[in-house]
Amino acid sequence: MKDSNIEVLAQLAEAWKEEIVEHIGQAVAAGQPMGVRAVETEIRERLRALGAQVLGLVLSGVEGTPAATQPCACGGTLQYQRRRTAEVVSVFGPVPYRRGYYAGCACGQGQAPIDERFGLQPGAVTAGLAELLALTGIELSFAGGAEWLEKFLLFRVSETTVREETERFGALQAEVDEQQCRVGQSEDDLQALQRREPPTCPRLYGSLDAAKVRIEPRKSGEKAAPEREAWRDLKLGCWFEAEPVRPRQRSTRQRAKVERDQPALRATAIEYFTDIAPAETFGQLLWGTGCQRQAERVAELIFVCDGAPWIWNLVQRYYPTAVQIVDWYHAADCLKRVALSAFSAEPQRATWLEHTLDQLWAGEVLDVIAACQAVASCSDEARRAVGYFTENQHRMRYAHFRAHAYFIGSGTVESACKQIVAHRLKRSGAQWQLAGATQTAKARAAWLSGSWDALARQRDALPLAA
């Protein structure tokens, strides 16, 4: 920073100091408490006001001398009219500014070039504020987020605006998803992807899951029905790589895994995708996002998921050569349910469960099936387990998978269910319309995937009225 600028700031700080000290003195003389918090708030408010003033001056002065004419979008010509005042809502609060306005085209439309250049719309939030609103909306309830923001921004933004900007970011992510799906269906685009440098990671993992979201019906007939709410499956997927965890960094759980001849791994380069859609539609997103990660070109592609049929149907359809692994913890939990159902005596139950878990861990699935068949006559859980293990036995070769140092748990996608659905969409009292739930989930998935900045850049030219 230039010395002249530092000197100006020092003079401004000195003037502020004198005013604030005088203000404190007056408050104390009047018997009002004045602590550090009040002083900090006073300084923040002054900085906010200064920021609003500077932004207004920048927007008013950046245009320079207006040109006499401007081309109109319709192909005609616009004539300069005058400088008109407008106001936007920024991170500093409401900001008035003046800019050249053009009209007079036969189409009847007017234009303010500065508004188009900076993506501004009178009465709207700026792109900088929009990003803060959306970040709040993917973390907190819209009402709670508005209250929380007020403490930081020192001015009020409506709950509706927080919701709209959050959903707008989700809509932008939906456009990205749609584009990836189109690429996945285009032969030319797929060939262009094939010409990229080959992937450097030797292994790529994929995982899919679903979680229930409560959707509030909006049609009058649905509201009058006994069941006013519907639970929908929010489908989630993720792509990720894996790296070993160093011995000194291992958690207690990871050390226990190593003791059981299981590699201590952690997920890296995670990318999430999500939608409330039929499995067939979600499969297109699975394929489109996989094309971007060059899933077809990696040396080893591995899917770790639970046993839901819709999941493995999609994996088999789009990635038939991938290694398929049923999440160990789901499989083990199935045996625990069988033991509880089939045995009333605790010692017998514990012995059976320990033995079958050891068989499952060793990949001896046929022995596990036989153990479930032996108690199927007295247990519905056992009868269901026979079908479950029979259908997925090739996905339960756990000794083989451990020997190859594969992940055998689907914790990465289950974490997404917790972070996106449980943390945000299932907040107490939350009621969603289908579009709002989908867009909020997509926006949060973008944040968790590290692709938020790309959405923020897209938002720059997309104003939304406050």
Side-chain angles (χ1 to χ4, degrees):
M1 184 179 290
K2 296 181 180 179
D3 292 340
S4 58
N5 291 336
I6 295 175
E7 184 177 350
V8 169
L9 291 175
Q11 292 173 355
L12 180 60
E14 183 66 25
W16 275 0
K17 183 201 73 174
E18 293 177 0
E19 288 187 23
I20 293 171
V21 168
E22 181 180 357
H23 177 68
I24 293 172
Q26 293 173 350
V28 171
Q32 301 174 4
M34 180 64 73
V36 173
R37 175 174 173 273
V39 176
E40 289 176 316
T41 301
E42 178 75 16
I43 295 173
R44 287 177 59 213
E45 182 57 46
R46 290 171 181 268
L47 288 171
R48 184 184 73 81
L50 177 62
Q53 184 177 6
V54 171
L55 180 57
L57 290 172
V58 169
L59 295 176
S60 299
V62 73
E63 189 174 33
T65 302
T69 61
Q70 288 282 344
C72 183
C74 73
T77 301
L78 293 164
Q79 305 294 325
Y80 175 72
Q81 304 295 307
R82 63 189 184 282
R83 289 177 65 85
R84 293 177 60 175
T85 299
E87 183 178 272
V88 290
V89 184
S90 77
V91 295
F92 307 111
V95 174
Y97 65 103
R98 290 175 59 80
R99 78 279 196 249
Y101 184 77
Y102 292 77
C105 182
C107 69
Q109 298 297 313
Q111 182 185 95
I114 288 300
D115 291 351
E116 294 189 4
R117 175 179 173 185
F118 288 101
L120 302 174
Q121 179 178 320
V125 300
T126 62
L129 178 57
E131 181 180 8
L132 297 183
L133 298 179
L135 279 171
T136 304
I138 63 172
E139 184 68 26
L140 304 171
S141 69
F142 300 133
E147 295 177 1
W148 187 86
L149 274 171
E150 187 174 7
K151 290 293 185 181
F152 282 84
L153 297 175
L154 300 181
F155 65 91
R156 180 73 177 178
V157 178
S158 73
E159 170 187 345
T160 299
T161 306
V162 176
R163 175 181 58 78
E164 290 175 341
E165 284 298 347
T166 304
E167 293 177 0
R168 177 56 63 91
F169 269 69
L172 292 173
Q173 181 58 47
E175 293 177 7
V176 173
D177 292 346
E178 290 170 5
Q179 174 60 24
Q180 291 180 337
C181 290
R182 285 194 293 270
V183 169
Q185 302 300 319
S186 167
E187 190 65 34
D188 291 341
D189 289 333
L190 288 176
Q191 289 178 1
L193 289 174
Q194 289 290 322
R195 290 193 291 270
R196 287 184 184 177
E197 289 293 322
T200 56
C201 68
R203 289 177 178 172
L204 179 67
Y205 289 85
S207 197
L208 306 176
D209 206 346
K212 297 290 186 182
V213 178
R214 188 178 70 179
I215 303 298
E216 175 73 11
R218 292 295 165 185
K219 297 179 181 179
S220 57
E222 292 174 334
K223 289 191 172 185
E227 293 294 333
R228 294 187 56 207
E229 298 164 353
W231 289 88
R232 298 285 297 274
D233 275 341
L234 179 78
K235 295 180 175 64
L236 300 107
C238 64
W239 299 102
F240 61 98
E241 300 170 23
E243 66 180 12
V245 182
R246 295 178 180 177
R248 302 175 86 179
Q249 298 176 334
R250 290 171 185 167
S251 64
T252 300
R253 186 176 182 181
Q254 289 167 337
R255 288 194 293 271
K257 287 181 177 180
V258 173
E259 291 174 359
R260 291 201 67 192
D261 192 29
Q262 183 178 353
L265 302 172
R266 62 182 163 212
T268 61
I270 307 172
E271 179 184 352
Y272 298 106
F273 53 95
T274 185
D275 204 353
I276 301 179
E280 182 177 349
T281 303
F282 192 71
Q284 297 173 12
L285 185 56
L286 169 66
W287 174 252
T289 55
C291 290
Q292 299 300 316
R293 290 295 290 258
Q294 302 192 70
E296 285 285 279
R297 301 180 67 191
V298 295
E300 289 184 293
L301 177 62
I302 304 134
F303 277 89
V304 188
C305 314
D306 66 25
W310 71 268
I311 291 176
W312 295 117
N313 288 340
L314 291 182
V315 173
Q316 188 63 34
R317 176 178 178 181
Y318 289 100
Y319 303 100
T321 62
V323 176
Q324 299 180 15
I325 304 175
V326 163
D327 170 71
W328 158 259
Y329 301 98
H330 280 83
D333 187 64
C334 180
L335 289 179
K336 292 175 185 177
R337 294 196 304 271
V338 172
L340 286 171
S341 172
F343 303 97
S344 57
E346 174 59 30
Q348 188 179 10
R349 178 193 305 154
T351 299
W352 184 91
L353 180 59
E354 181 180 4
H355 183 61
T356 53
L357 283 175
D358 286 343
Q359 290 175 325
L360 183 64
W361 186 251
E364 299 167 354
V365 186
L366 290 177
D367 292 333
V368 172
I369 294 171
C372 292
Q373 286 173 331
V375 296
S377 61
C378 62
S379 169
D380 291 339
E381 287 286 355
R383 286 192 289 274
R384 285 190 287 269
V386 169
Y388 173 71
F389 286 108
T390 301
E391 176 68 23
N392 292 293
Q393 57 183 305
H394 62 291
R395 303 181 181 114
M396 296 178 174
R397 298 173 292 140
Y398 294 116
H400 171 80
F401 299 148
R402 295 198 313 278
H404 284 74
Y406 292 154
F407 261 115
I408 61 171
S410 59
T412 306
V413 75
E414 290 175 14
S415 174
C417 290
K418 293 176 182 177
Q419 294 187 75
I420 296 174
V421 181
H423 177 82
R424 182 61 189 92
L425 300 185
K426 284 189 175 179
R427 283 182 169 272
S428 178
Q431 297 184 17
W432 297 94
Q433 294 187 53
L434 181 60
T438 303
Q439 290 165 355
T440 301
K442 285 181 177 292
R444 185 158 174 80
W447 171 256
L448 296 174
S449 301
S451 55
W452 185 264
D453 288 346
L455 294 187
R457 287 191 293 271
Q458 286 181 261
R459 175 60 186 83
D460 280 352
L462 297 172
L464 182 68

